[in-house]
Amino acid sequence: MKTAVYPGSFDPVTYGHLDIISRAAKLFDKVIVLVSFNPAKPNCFFPLEQRMDFVQRALVELKNADNIEVDSSDGLLVDYFKKREADVIIKGLRAMSDFEAEFQMALVNKDLFYKAETIFLAADVTGTFLSSSMVKQIAAFGGDVSAFVPHTIINDVTSKLKIKNEG
């Protein structure tokens, strides 16, 4: 059984994330969506538990999500990878700037644990511009993010961001 780990902060999960999750689920027997703490993004807007809930609720929009699990970690990805006896790390790429950072991380992960292979999946053409940060900014100013965020979480995302912007 081949297991893939798809790590991210998912602050919040977007249709771009769901696209990568869905495609990975077709390639691997099991996909673990790992909602994680990223020291490069220490100020996540949504708490870990809520981000995990968002991902879990968003999976309802996928037709075949039986082989997808949601988990969390606040440690090194390679330590989690070893513990779960995973086979690959999945990373989504939107642009060349993503590639540079993700490639560097892939090399470090491989150096830390020789079995840590990384597979890159290119974003769907409609999601190449999409990021969680952009979604938060649009929602904070009252913009419509329904094309970017799963309908199962949109009210939670927009109401919290709207309150923050009004405060």
Side-chain angles (χ1 to χ4, degrees), residues 72-97:
S72 68
S73 175
D74 61 359
L76 283 175
L77 174 58
V78 292
D79 291 339
Y80 183 88
F81 183 90
K82 282 188 245 185
K83 181 176 87 174
R84 294 303 301 264
E85 298 179 355
D87 298 289
V88 298
I89 298 165
I90 298 291
K91 291 294 193 146
L93 299 177
R94 294 170 298 191
M96 281 306 293
S97 57

Side-chain angles (χ1 to χ4, degrees), residues 111-163:
D111 192 51
L112 291 171
F113 183 57
Y114 72 100
K115 289 184 179 181
E117 294 291 346
T118 300
I119 293 179
F120 299 106
L121 293 178
D124 181 84
V125 70
T126 59
T128 56
F129 67 91
L130 183 58
S131 70
S132 294
S133 298
M134 190 168 295
V135 166
K136 288 183 286 198
Q137 185 174 8
I138 294 167
F141 287 100
D144 180 10
V145 294
S146 60
F148 312 128
V149 177
H151 76 276
T152 54
I153 67 167
I154 196 162
N155 289 337
D156 295 294
V157 171
T158 56
S159 64
K160 185 169 181 177
L161 284 158
K162 185 177 177 186
I163 290 167

Side-chain angles (χ1 to χ4, degrees), residues 1-165:
M1 182 159 112
K2 295 287 184 186
T3 300
V5 176
Y6 177 41
S9 54
F10 305 102
D11 187 38
V13 63
T14 68
Y15 279 126
H17 294 126
L18 281 183
D19 173 59
I20 298 295
I21 293 166
S22 174
R23 290 168 43 213
K26 292 175 187 170
L27 298 171
F28 298 96
D29 299 310
K30 182 178 197 171
V31 174
I32 303 168
V33 180
L34 185 64
V35 182
S36 55
F37 171 75
N38 181 346
K41 300 177 184 177
N43 299 318
C44 282
F45 188 78
F46 297 99
L48 179 68
E49 297 77 22
Q50 191 169 28
R51 290 182 281 136
M52 287 183 67
D53 177 59
F54 284 173
V55 173
Q56 197 69 50
R57 288 168 38 205
L59 292 178
V60 170
E61 297 198 16
L62 300 183
K63 290 189 183 353
N64 294 316
D66 296 338
N67 64 333
I68 302 168
E69 175 185 332
V70 180
D71 201 0
S72 68
S73 175
D74 61 359
L76 283 175
L77 174 58
V78 292
D79 291 339
Y80 183 88
F81 183 90
K82 282 188 245 185
K83 181 176 87 174
R84 294 303 301 264
E85 298 179 355
D87 298 289
V88 298
I89 298 165
I90 298 291
K91 291 294 193 146
L93 299 177
R94 294 170 298 191
M96 281 306 293
S97 57
D98 281 351
F99 177 75
E100 291 174 25
E102 296 296 352
F103 183 70
Q104 192 173 32
M105 272 193 273
L107 292 176
V108 170
N109 286 332
K110 184 79 169 161
D111 192 51
L112 291 171
F113 183 57
Y114 72 100
K115 289 184 179 181
E117 294 291 346
T118 300
I119 293 179
F120 299 106
L121 293 178
D124 181 84
V125 70
T126 59
T128 56
F129 67 91
L130 183 58
S131 70
S132 294
S133 298
M134 190 168 295
V135 166
K136 288 183 286 198
Q137 185 174 8
I138 294 167
F141 287 100
D144 180 10
V145 294
S146 60
F148 312 128
V149 177
H151 76 276
T152 54
I153 67 167
I154 196 162
N155 289 337
D156 295 294
V157 171
T158 56
S159 64
K160 185 169 181 177
L161 284 158
K162 185 177 177 186
I163 290 167
K164 170 124 177 148
N165 194 40

